[in-house]
Amino acid sequence: ASVEVLGYPFSGGQPRGGVDQGPEALIKAGLLDQLGALGWDVKFNPEVMNEVRQLAVQEHDSDIGKMHKPLAVSAVNERVADDVAAIQERGALSLTIGGDHSLGMGTVSGTKRRYPDAALIWVDAHADINTPLTTDSGNLHGCPVSFLLGLPGTNIPPFNVWMQPCLRPEDIVYIGLRDIDDKEKGILRDLGIKVFTMHDVDAHGIGRVMERVLAHVGAARPIHLSFDVDALDPTVAPSTGTPVRGGLTFREGHYIAEAIAETGNLVAVDIVEVNPALEDEASAAQTVAIGCSLSRAALGETLL
Ligand code: ARG
Ligand code: MN
Ligand code: MN
Ligand code: MN
């Protein structure tokens, strides 16, 4: 089987520098060889990283309403969607390494072009479902899901030039949430979106949570896994821009990826929000290593 790795050195969906160094750090840590050792035919075009760095530089990228860097986020994600869709047209699995989570706009749009019925499993401390109207921070990494759903306020240029709503509320399952803005809580409740917060992980254990996640998804449906490393506890993945205490353990995070791998239905994976410039060197190395090990787990690495 083939996996094509996409590295997007993009930080424009949030204010902290360094998250754009995520892809290079994971590649340097040996990600490609590790996936090859699992038996995958691995492709990676490093030129994509340069092209995306160019796209991320947009002149006169002033705020639209509260949104920061709308031109950069839109231009990069238009490209991301094309890349992901092309990989899946070739029958390969796409593995996207971020970069910040605004990249979810593009990755999920790409998956939905090839697999309109795909389910989205979003593993995160945050819901990332703010709209341009509800966002307090103005950071677009807090908004990708609302654009994918086509919520009020998202049908605006430059985004609506290339993206259209492609996701239904029942397509999404969240795992690991613990820092949800009040207006996001309203959206999640109103739309009846399936959410397993850290409270649910505490109450039932990750095994039963994953049984319920996969029951909601249903058998034989393509799955897109979007994994924000801040879903993990900050002691486990310290080098990330918006850490929140009380997160998933190392094993809980990997179990999620392993359980999804076992379905055989995975078509796309995002590993985002690794920021090697934050915390000390050892913390950065630990977080990068976890980006690699989560990728391996999602691609079928087993403990035995
Ligand atoms: N809810 C906050 C916001 O909208 C935090 C979002 C954090 N998102 C992330 N992908 N780390 O700004
Ligand atoms: Mn996120
Ligand atoms: Mn997050
Ligand atoms: Mn701001």
Side-chain angles (χ1 to χ4, degrees), residues 15 63 66-68 135-139:
D63 294 359
K66 289 188 254 177
M67 283 184 292
H68 301 313
T135 176
D136 286 324
S137 69
N139 300 327

Side-chain angles (χ1 to χ4, degrees), residues 22 25-27 29 31 34-35 95-97 227 229 232 236-237 250 254 269-272 274 284-298:
L26 267 73
I27 299 291
L31 175 65
Q34 294 168 21
L35 300 178
L95 171 58
T96 296
I97 309 298
F227 203 121
V229 299
L232 300 165
V236 176
F250 180 92
H254 287 75
V269 182
D270 312 328
I271 302 286
V272 296
V274 172
Q286 179 186 335
T287 310
V288 167
I290 277 175
C292 293
S293 58
L294 287 172
S295 303
R296 296 197 307 272

Side-chain angles (χ1 to χ4, degrees), residues 37 55 57 76 86-87 102 121 141 181 208 216 247:
L55 282 172
V57 182
V76 167
I87 288 172
S102 67
I121 300 179
H141 77 158
D181 299 340
R208 268 203 276 178
H216 180 85

Side-chain angles (χ1 to χ4, degrees), residues 72-135:
V73 171
S74 180
V76 167
N77 277 291
E78 180 175 7
R79 163 70 192 257
V80 170
D82 290 343
D83 290 347
V84 169
I87 288 172
Q88 298 185 1
E89 288 299 333
R90 292 193 280 273
L93 189 149
S94 67
L95 171 58
T96 296
I97 309 298
D100 73 63
H101 217 169
S102 67
L103 293 166
M105 273 186 203
T107 61
V108 176
S109 294
T111 293
K112 281 289 195 172
R113 278 187 211 160
R114 173 68 179 84
Y115 300 107
D117 190 39
L120 173 62
I121 300 179
W122 194 279
V123 184
D124 208 318
H126 311 96
D128 294 348
I129 199 167
N130 272 305
T131 74
L133 305 172
T134 68
T135 176

Side-chain angles (χ1 to χ4, degrees), residues 4 27 47 99-100 116 149-150 158 196 202-203 212 216 225 237 242-243 278 285 290 292:
E4 296 192 33
I27 299 291
E47 186 49 34
D100 73 63
L149 289 164
F196 296 92
D202 294 337
R212 292 176 193 184
H216 180 85
L225 169 63
T242 50
L278 298 178
I290 277 175
C292 293

